[in-house]
Amino acid sequence: LNNTSFSAAVTVATNLTVGGTGSFTGNVGIGIAPQGSRKLSIQNTNADNEIEFYGTDFTNIYSRTNSGMTVEVIGNGFAKLATTGGNLTISSAGVGTFSAVPVVGTRSAGDNTTRAASTAFVTTAVATGVGAYLPLAGGRMTGTAKIEFNNASQYIHANSTNDLTIA
């Protein structure tokens, strides 16, 4: 069939080959009747049901919406994004597992966002004392220092190099 448009129910008992442009109006089922409001339903009776793209060019899957795109596994299965370099598998509990070491960018010093931190960022932060924390063993606070607790009236204060006040 070349440049054919279907707007009514069509059942094909054998193979259907569309050369050129083919379009369907309404919901389409492959191996199964269309399910609910799904635009495309494909029956999966075994692990051989796949959508595969052939060729040497880059393949894109687009969501032309202003609200986003969901790739969802309904049930207890998992979702896997696979490449020749490694996989990202997301379990039904929402836990992501990488088959290779993930690479993250090195954030700028002092970044306290919820973004992933690289080992380079953490190593630099610990070595340079970002956040002005004392080490667990040793360390020295210099100058007049004040350690506050719950409020400004509860503190340990060093007025000079020899005095210590606990208030």
Side-chain angles (χ1 to χ4, degrees), residues 19 54 63 65 70-71 74 97 104 142 153:
Y54 288 94
S63 174
T65 67
T70 299
V71 177
I74 299 173
T97 304
V104 297
T142 58
S153 65

Side-chain angles (χ1 to χ4, degrees), residues 38-130:
R38 306 282 191 230
K39 296 298 181 193
L40 175 62
S41 300
I42 302 172
Q43 184 178 23
N44 185 8
T45 57
N46 59 45
D48 293 333
N49 290 337
E50 299 172 341
I51 298 174
E52 187 168 349
F53 300 93
Y54 288 94
T56 57
D57 290 340
F58 189 82
T59 299
N60 295 300
I61 299 174
Y62 293 105
S63 174
R64 294 193 184 272
T65 67
N66 293 326
S67 60
M69 178 178 174
T70 299
V71 177
E72 181 177 3
V73 175
I74 299 173
N76 293 324
F78 61 88
K80 180 186 277 187
L81 302 175
T83 69
T84 55
N87 301 323
L88 165 61
T89 302
I90 304 171
S91 73
S92 60
V95 177
T97 304
F98 295 91
S99 65
V101 177
V103 177
V104 297
T106 301
R107 309 303 313 156
S108 59
D111 186 339
N112 67 348
T113 64
T114 58
R115 295 180 175 153
S118 66
T119 53
F121 174 83
V122 173
T123 301
T124 301
V126 170
T128 59
V130 172

